[in-house]
Amino acid sequence: MNADLRMTDPPAPDLHIRESLDWAAFVRDDWDRRPVLFKGVAHGRPFALDEVFRSALAATARSRRRLPGEPDNSLVTLDRLQQLDPTPWMPRREDGSMAGYRQRMLGALGERRYALVISAFHSYRFALWRNEREFFAPLWRHAGLPITGAITTLFHGNYESTPVGVHRDRFATFMIPVEGRKRMRFWTAKPWADAVSTLPDYRGHLAGSFVVEAEPGDVLYWPADYYHVGESIGGGVATSVNLGVPRTEHRPVYELEDLLVDIGQADALIDPSAQLLRALMRDDVPVSARDAIDADGVLADQLPLALAQAWRLSAQLTDPRALAARIGALSLQRLSAGGFEPVPPRRRARALTPAQRIALSTGERVLQRRDRDGWQFAINGHGLRVQGDAAIERALLARMHGGEAARVSELLRGTAAHRRAAIALLEWLDQCHGLRRLRD
């Protein structure tokens, strides 16, 4: 189909081409207004090809481990047909690279087309998440931090067009090609009249569209109100990562969910329809209530167990003191996440030897906030709460924020209470990717 489409591709009348990442000018002139193609501004950043492969391996490994009924963040289609068991078609460690994965797929499929789509892509490897956060941090200073977090999605394959077809998102989108050329087709208004939200076969609506092609090093932006579909170019394999910034259809329930589940719990946030409140409740509550309604049809004074449990949980979550502390903790976590949630999970605890020299990770800072009964800390989207004045923790962080490197034994000098508090803080920092281990 693409060969026919190339003969009818109209120009892109609304496209603005920029030669640099001048985020202030972009927000002033283009944000929410028109598509923009940034040329040659993202070579190797924020998504290096080898890091994309490692992140894809981590994401598909989670897909293989999921239990029946759990949402799957990795989707594979072969000739537009979604595979119920995508495991044979996912990246494997023995592929060695995205190029190795591509060659295996092309050799196995021949003329058939394939697509690999991974959602919540930034949440699986810290290195990729950190690079994406740093790349877009200057944009948030001008446009504002996304309240409920930006989304990141990997698209890879030689699929003829995006499996879902023409659609519109509630997100403004930045598409960053990592390998191969990628074509996006746009409509400024809904191109069909049928009561459907997506259109896989759009050949009858080409006249009202325009196309933009991007290559590695480019960044392509389009506003949330543009209908769009991705297309392959000449059947070639392309890899791109899309960043979606929520702009429309924001629902209060999204904020409520944030108050219930930590932004570090990636598995709970991958599925947008997940019942997060239910996840906090017991799963052995009876589904029927004996004697809940009397013969006259009146509800008994005692609530059925399920309703009583939901009521108690809601009361606990909305206690003014508990809610204020939760809002403060969430605010710190969100700021330290830099707009990209869910954040990568903590890494496993690693022993800190007394002779080890350590310092805060380059460019990192631990955010701090005092609440009624203690102090809250956050780094890289993860939070820690310390009861009381947290004097030991705050003094240690002040020393580390000055850029000082020190041996672990030096930081642990003091009373037994000082040692316990310092060890707990350092271990938390290390698990949250906040420490550098230095060589002598």
Side-chain angles (χ1 to χ4, degrees):
M1 184 171 73
N2 281 324
D4 297 331
L5 295 182
R6 289 296 293 162
M7 299 176 64
T8 59
D9 287 343
D14 295 332
L15 181 69
H16 188 188
I17 297 178
R18 289 187 177 272
E19 302 293 339
S20 65
L21 282 175
D22 185 340
W23 290 120
F26 163 74
V27 171
R28 182 188 65 237
D29 300 332
D30 307 311
W31 183 245
D32 287 337
R33 293 180 178 87
R34 58 182 175 179
V36 177
L37 180 62
F38 297 88
K39 290 296 298 180
V41 299
H43 288 291
R45 66 188 188 103
F47 306 112
L49 187 57
D50 58 345
E51 192 56 51
V52 167
F53 176 68
R54 295 188 187 101
S55 297
L57 283 181
T60 53
R62 177 203 173 272
S63 177
R64 296 186 186 100
R65 292 194 306 267
R66 68 188 180 91
L67 298 174
E70 286 185 341
D72 195 357
N73 62 313
S74 300
L75 176 149
V76 174
T77 65
L78 303 181
D79 286 341
R80 289 190 172 276
L81 297 178
Q82 182 175 346
Q83 302 302 293
L84 296 179
D85 179 14
T87 302
W89 312 110
M90 288 180 173
R92 303 171 183 167
R93 190 169 301 278
E94 53 265 32
D95 291 330
S97 64
M98 290 301 293
Y101 172 58
R102 177 181 68 242
Q103 291 304 115
R104 175 167 64 85
M105 293 294 286
L106 294 176
L109 296 175
E111 297 298 318
R112 301 177 69 187
R113 303 287 189 98
Y114 76 97
L116 170 68
V117 181
I118 301 176
S119 59
F121 190 60
H122 63 245
S123 66
Y124 295 99
R125 277 187 60 84
F126 178 79
L128 183 140
W129 175 85
R130 178 193 57 206
N131 291 339
E132 186 175 8
R133 183 188 64 170
E134 292 176 354
F135 186 85
F136 284 100
L139 171 61
W140 307 147
R141 288 197 286 270
H142 298 283
L145 190 72
I147 292 299
T148 52
I151 65 170
T152 310
T153 308
L154 172 73
F155 292 91
H156 167 85
N158 61 351
Y159 50 92
E160 193 170 17
S161 59
T162 308
V164 72
V166 181
H167 61 288
R168 185 181 69 176
D169 300 313
R170 67 182 186 92
F171 304 92
T173 302
F174 294 87
M175 184 190 78
I176 303 177
V178 182
E179 64 170 349
R181 293 182 61 83
K182 186 73 174 285
R183 178 193 302 145
M184 294 299 302
R185 183 175 296 275
F186 297 102
W187 291 258
T188 56
K190 184 179 178 181
W192 65 86
D194 299 330
V196 294
S197 58
T198 64
L199 191 68
D201 186 355
Y202 52 91
R203 286 174 292 186
H205 302 281
L206 298 179
S209 69
F210 65 90
V211 299
V212 182
E213 293 186 3
E215 60 187 353
D218 296 346
V219 176
L220 174 61
Y221 161 84
W222 64 87
D225 56 356
Y226 276 66
Y227 284 80
H228 58 276
V229 65
E231 299 175 349
S232 70
I233 299 178
V237 176
T239 303
S240 62
V241 183
N242 285 13
L243 165 71
V245 185
R247 305 301 293 163
T248 64
E249 301 177 25
H250 185 80
R251 301 176 183 177
V253 69
Y254 300 151
E255 306 291 350
L256 177 61
E257 291 174 346
D258 288 338
L259 291 175
L260 301 180
V261 176
D262 286 337
I263 63 177
Q265 296 183 9
D267 290 356
L269 295 179
I270 286 172
D271 181 6
S273 64
Q275 299 296 316
L276 300 183
L277 179 59
R278 186 177 63 192
L280 298 176
M281 298 172 62
R282 290 170 45 193
D283 58 5
D284 58 349
V285 177
V287 296
S288 60
R290 180 177 298 177
D291 301 326
I293 301 176
D294 64 21
D296 296 326
V298 178
L299 186 67
D301 291 338
Q302 185 175 1
L303 288 175
L305 183 58
L307 287 178
Q309 180 185 337
W311 175 258
R312 285 194 298 270
L313 179 59
S314 299
Q316 293 170 9
L317 294 169
T318 55
D319 174 79
R321 292 179 59 180
L323 186 59
R326 176 64 182 151
I327 291 173
L330 179 66
S331 299
L332 285 191
Q333 287 180 250
R334 172 145 294 145
L335 288 173
S336 69
F340 293 98
E341 306 159 19
V343 297
R346 297 186 189 184
R347 59 187 170 194
R348 294 179 179 177
R350 304 179 298 174
L352 287 168
T353 61
Q356 176 69 61
R357 292 180 64 244
I358 59 173
L360 275 182
S361 296
T362 304
E364 295 292 355
R365 188 171 185 85
V366 180
L367 302 183
Q368 307 175 35
R369 178 183 184 274
R370 186 173 186 174
D371 64 21
R372 186 166 183 171
D373 301 314
W375 282 78
Q376 296 162 341
F377 305 93
I379 188 171
N380 293 328
H382 297 285
L384 173 71
R385 188 178 187 280
V386 176
Q387 193 77 9
D389 63 7
I392 296 170
E393 290 85 355
R394 291 187 291 117
L396 182 55
L397 287 174
R399 180 176 177 180
M400 300 183 75
H401 282 153
E404 179 180 345
R407 298 192 187 278
V408 172
S409 58
E410 298 172 14
L411 300 176
L412 299 184
R413 289 174 184 167
T415 64
H418 176 99
R419 181 180 176 85
R420 287 193 299 270
I423 289 176
L425 180 67
L426 294 177
E427 288 180 345
W428 173 73
L429 286 172
D430 191 44
Q431 291 173 22
C432 299
H433 305 271
L435 280 188
R436 286 185 296 145
R437 299 183 178 223
L438 307 176
R439 295 180 179 177
D440 289 324

